[in-house]
């Protein structure tokens, strides 16, 4: 039965149109058979079995590991996917580690492991600071919805800071989230991060500042302001502002138990920006710009 399936897969893989239509690689190894089970047969459980075989056989280990984690996530086997990446990423080449980190961050977010997400995001920021992200290149090729596009280090830095701000919001640490979002906006502003920053300020009872941030979205001054999702979010925040404006004095809220301003806030600013390796020739200009405004952010 297995031999017959292999012949069938090989026969189908030998046809160029089949590869184009189903976006599966050629060949008959375990990785190819895993992709066939995933994309053609629509059998995720069988795909996972073949991905494991590919990893054990050393057949495109980095691709097999990432693809298997995606399939496991779809089956709500997120914790298993996390452990698989942690256990086998050592078999993958250096250039694959960054994409594995991205998969891990997505898995951490899926299962609510916020502290692990924050730790990994800080690690990625440190790599950017040291000039080691994108394998030392100024840009990388990314893919979204089947289309390729170039991402700069500047854009990636802002994206990671935005994700870090979101993670702090999940912990209810709106002061740390505010600072991170402000840094992200200074690097590469957009309406989504502006709305999140507005929300952080509302949670701290700083309604005038929140309205000022939101106004840039409402006036279409930021990229993405005309996006329907951003418009709806901005209108919801405006209603929340109108309802809350007169309710409370401008007081800073208490931080959640176990978090203090000194421990968490200083860790974000100082460890990520000040306690990294000393300035060197490969230090990226964007972090010089952040360092210049650090005192302002700490106010």
């Amino acid at each position: 039965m297995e031999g017959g399936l292999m012949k069938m897969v090989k026969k189908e893989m030998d046809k160029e149109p089949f590869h184009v239509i189903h976006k599966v690689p050629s060949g008959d190894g375990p990785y190819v058979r895993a992709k066939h089970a995933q994309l053609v047969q629509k059998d995720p459980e069988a795909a996972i079995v073949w991905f494991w075989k590919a990893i054990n056989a050393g057949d495109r280990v980095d691709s097999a590991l990432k693809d298997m984690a995606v399939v496991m996530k779809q089956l709500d086997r997120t914790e298993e996917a996390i452990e698989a990446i942690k256990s086998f990423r050592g078999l993958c080449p250096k250039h694959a580690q960054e994409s594995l980190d991205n998969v891990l961050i997505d898995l951490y977010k899926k299962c609510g492991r916020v502290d692990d997400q924050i730790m990994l995001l800080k690690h990625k920021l440190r790599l950017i600071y040291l000039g080691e992200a994108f394998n030392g290149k100024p840009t990388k090729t990314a893919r979204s919805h089947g289309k390729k596009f170039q991402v700069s280090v500047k854009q990636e830095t802002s994206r990671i800071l935005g994700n870090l701000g979101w993670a702090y919001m999940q912990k209810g640490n709106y002061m740390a989230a505010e600072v991170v979002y402000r840094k992200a906006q200074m690097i590469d502003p957009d309406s989504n991060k502006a709305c999140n920053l507005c929300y952080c300020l509302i949670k701290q009872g700083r309604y005038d500042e929140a309205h000022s941030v939101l106004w840039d979205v409402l006036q279409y001054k930021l990229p993405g302001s005309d996006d329907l999702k951003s418009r709806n979010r901005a209108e919801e925040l405006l209603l929340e502002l109108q309802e809350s404006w007169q309710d409370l004095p401008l007081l800073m809220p208490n931080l959640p138990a176990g978090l203090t301003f000194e421990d968490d806030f200083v860790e974000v600013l100082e460890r990520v920006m000040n306690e990294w390796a000393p300035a060197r020739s490969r230090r990226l200009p964007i972090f010089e710009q952040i360092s210049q405004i650090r005192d302002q952010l700490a106010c």
Side-chain angles (χ1 to χ4, degrees):
M1 183 68 178
E2 184 173 314
L5 175 61
M6 183 178 294
K7 291 180 180 179
M8 180 184 71
V9 172
K10 188 177 186 304
K11 182 178 180 180
E12 291 177 330
M13 294 297 174
D14 287 338
K15 300 177 182 179
E16 180 70 18
F18 183 90
H19 302 159
V20 175
I21 294 173
H22 297 284
K23 298 180 180 179
V24 294
S26 60
D28 59 2
Y31 178 73
V32 171
R33 298 180 70 174
K35 295 300 291 183
H36 188 272
Q38 177 193 5
L39 300 175
V40 180
Q41 297 175 323
K42 308 296 183 182
D43 187 344
E45 296 288 355
I48 290 174
V49 171
W50 282 109
F51 280 132
W52 274 123
K53 291 183 179 181
I55 293 169
N56 292 327
D59 181 13
R60 309 188 205 189
V61 177
D62 53 330
S63 296
L65 192 54
K66 287 182 288 186
D67 291 345
M68 183 177 71
V70 171
V71 175
M72 285 180 170
K73 177 187 173 186
Q74 294 170 348
L75 296 177
D76 291 326
R77 294 166 61 178
T78 309
E79 294 286 354
E80 185 179 349
I82 291 172
E83 292 307 313
I85 291 179
K86 286 184 173 182
S87 298
F88 293 95
R89 67 181 307 167
L91 301 176
C92 303
K94 183 178 179 180
H95 65 77
Q97 299 302 317
E98 184 177 342
S99 58
L100 286 169
D101 283 341
N102 291 334
V103 174
L104 263 183
I105 289 172
D106 191 46
L107 293 171
Y108 286 148
K109 185 183 298 184
K110 169 75 172 180
C111 62
R113 291 172 58 168
V114 181
D115 288 333
D116 289 324
Q117 186 181 345
I118 289 173
M119 184 181 302
L120 191 48
L121 287 167
K122 288 180 179 179
H123 169 70
K124 289 177 71 66
L125 285 172
R126 185 175 187 276
L127 293 180
I128 291 176
Y129 175 88
L130 296 174
E132 297 177 4
F134 296 4
N135 296 308
K137 299 178 181 179
T139 62
K140 73 173 181 178
T141 301
R143 184 187 297 271
S144 178
H145 303 295
K147 296 182 179 180
K148 293 183 179 180
F149 57 95
Q150 292 297 308
V151 177
S152 68
V153 171
K154 177 180 177 181
Q155 292 171 321
E156 180 72 356
T157 303
S158 181
R159 185 188 70 83
I160 293 174
L161 286 170
N163 288 339
L164 183 59
W166 180 257
Y168 276 114
M169 285 176 63
Q170 305 315 298
K171 292 176 68 70
N173 191 347
Y174 298 108
M175 283 188 288
E178 175 202 343
V179 174
V180 174
Y181 276 126
R182 286 193 185 279
K183 289 190 291 183
Q185 287 295 80
M186 291 176 182
I187 297 170
D188 188 31
D190 64 48
S191 59
N192 180 58
K193 292 193 292 288
C195 287
N196 288 337
L197 174 57
C198 172
Y199 184 78
C200 291
L201 293 168
I202 290 175
K203 286 297 184 179
Q204 296 176 65
R206 294 156 60 188
Y207 304 123
D208 286 329
E209 294 175 71
H211 185 268
S212 177
V213 170
L214 189 61
W215 189 247
D216 286 341
V217 180
L218 296 172
Q219 293 298 304
Y220 298 92
K221 293 182 178 180
L222 295 174
S225 295
D226 56 350
D227 179 73
L228 180 59
K229 186 177 180 179
S230 293
R231 302 304 300 175
N232 291 337
R233 178 91 189 282
E235 290 173 4
E236 291 173 359
L237 288 168
L238 183 60
L239 288 175
E240 187 170 349
L241 264 175
Q242 292 170 344
E243 293 174 357
S244 304
W245 214 310
Q246 299 177 356
D247 292 345
L248 296 171
L250 299 182
L251 296 176
M252 299 295 285
N254 294 325
L255 286 174
L259 285 176
T260 66
F261 180 90
E262 290 77 15
D263 291 339
D264 214 42
F265 183 86
V266 173
E267 182 185 359
V268 174
L269 287 181
E270 300 304 324
R271 185 177 294 274
V272 174
M273 293 168 50
N274 193 41
E275 294 183 7
W276 288 347
R280 58 188 70 182
S281 60
R282 58 178 175 167
R283 180 173 176 175
L284 300 177
I286 190 64
F287 281 94
E288 297 289 357
Q289 298 172 19
I290 293 178
S291 297
Q292 293 172 8
I293 61 172
R294 186 178 64 241
D295 292 340
Q296 300 175 29
L297 293 172
C299 295

